[in-house]
Amino acid sequence: RPAVSLAGGLRMAKPVSTNDFKTGVTVVIDGNVYKVLEFLHVKPGKGSAFVRSKLKNLTNGGNLERTFRAGEMLEGADVSKSNVQFNYMDGEDYVFMNMETFETMTVNAQAVGDNKIWMKLGADVSIVECNGKILDIEIPPTMILEVAQTDPGAKGNTAQGATKMAVLETGAEVQVPLFIVTGELVRVDTETSKYLGREKREEDKKK
């Protein structure tokens, strides 16, 4: 939601109704910025409607589960989001480039946090900031990555749904079907680290 400019340059975001909760919406609770991860509108047979939600604390990375009254107003968080591309590592820091302005942004490993296992060179991500401080790095919900290492599937093991561990090029570990081999491309859900399917390389699609 757009912010409202007040005298003295102070910017405060418009209030957010729990009726308008969507995944990714940011709000302020007890002085901390939270991002909505999950929400469920519940209208019981008796009593007032409510919204059950799961939020991520963008200040410390912790999760919060809280139930709000339907229509309850919360303070909106005045955050800015930059669409950037991961370019390279500078020591332990991650360097991103804004593909519109071509400006680079250096982010330390602590700010990248658990998302480091999805940091593929050239990946498009979004950096969320508030008052000049990086709060979150949003990665795509799905990514196509190469399998860096996985053991061969055991011959004769045809159990339906059987899986094995695979290490992807970014270091992420994912359970994959037995037929997947090292060097293949797979599509994964970055939120759950679940295997979604096998992908063909561009050169193979042209054949």
Side-chain angles (χ1 to χ4, degrees):
R1 285 171 174 260
V4 179
S5 295
L6 303 178
L10 178 65
R11 291 169 60 83
M12 296 183 65
K14 289 183 178 180
V16 177
S17 168
T18 57
N19 288 337
D20 296 328
F21 267 12
K22 295 179 182 178
T23 302
V25 166
T26 51
V27 295
V28 177
I29 301 174
D30 299 330
N32 292 313
V33 179
Y34 285 84
K35 179 173 72 174
V36 176
L37 299 179
E38 301 172 11
F39 64 95
L40 178 66
H41 295 276
V42 181
K43 191 171 183 180
K46 294 182 180 180
S48 302
F50 58 90
V51 181
R52 186 177 292 125
S53 62
K54 181 178 181 181
L55 308 103
K56 178 182 179 181
N57 186 323
L58 297 185
T59 305
N60 60 27
N63 288 339
L64 171 70
E65 293 188 7
R66 180 172 290 191
T67 299
F68 301 95
R69 298 187 310 276
E72 183 174 347
M73 302 301 293
L74 302 175
E75 182 183 345
D78 182 14
V79 300
S80 62
K81 184 181 294 188
S82 304
N83 297 320
V84 299
Q85 189 177 88
F86 175 42
N87 264 18
Y88 61 92
M89 295 291 298
D90 182 8
E92 294 186 355
D93 294 335
Y94 296 74
V95 180
F96 299 88
M97 176 177 284
N98 186 312
M99 300 310 291
E100 294 181 0
T101 64
F102 299 106
E103 294 179 348
T104 58
M105 180 183 298
T106 301
V107 181
N108 62 42
Q110 183 178 358
V112 173
D114 294 338
N115 286 330
K116 65 182 181 181
I117 63 171
W118 305 113
M119 284 298 138
K120 177 183 178 180
L121 291 177
D124 294 317
V125 302
S126 297
I127 293 181
V128 179
E129 297 179 89
C130 183
N131 297 325
K133 180 181 179 182
I134 295 175
L135 295 180
D136 192 26
I137 295 182
E138 296 180 350
I139 56 178
T142 63
M143 292 185 71
I144 297 174
L145 298 168
E146 182 176 320
V147 176
Q149 194 281 323
T150 189
D151 294 332
K155 289 186 177 180
N157 188 341
T158 57
Q160 190 168 0
T163 61
K164 60 181 179 177
M165 180 64 71
V167 180
L168 307 182
E169 59 181 300
T170 55
E173 296 184 348
V174 177
Q175 289 289 330
V176 299
L178 299 179
F179 58 78
I180 295 295
V181 299
T182 298
E184 282 196 284
L185 296 180
V186 294
R187 181 182 293 274
V188 293
D189 183 318
T190 56
E191 181 68 31
T192 61
S193 294
K194 286 186 177 180
Y195 165 90
L196 298 177
R198 182 162 51 176
E199 292 286 332
K200 287 186 176 181
R201 298 181 184 277
E202 287 301 318
E203 56 267 27
D204 294 333
K205 292 179 181 179
K206 296 176 184 178
K207 293 181 180 178

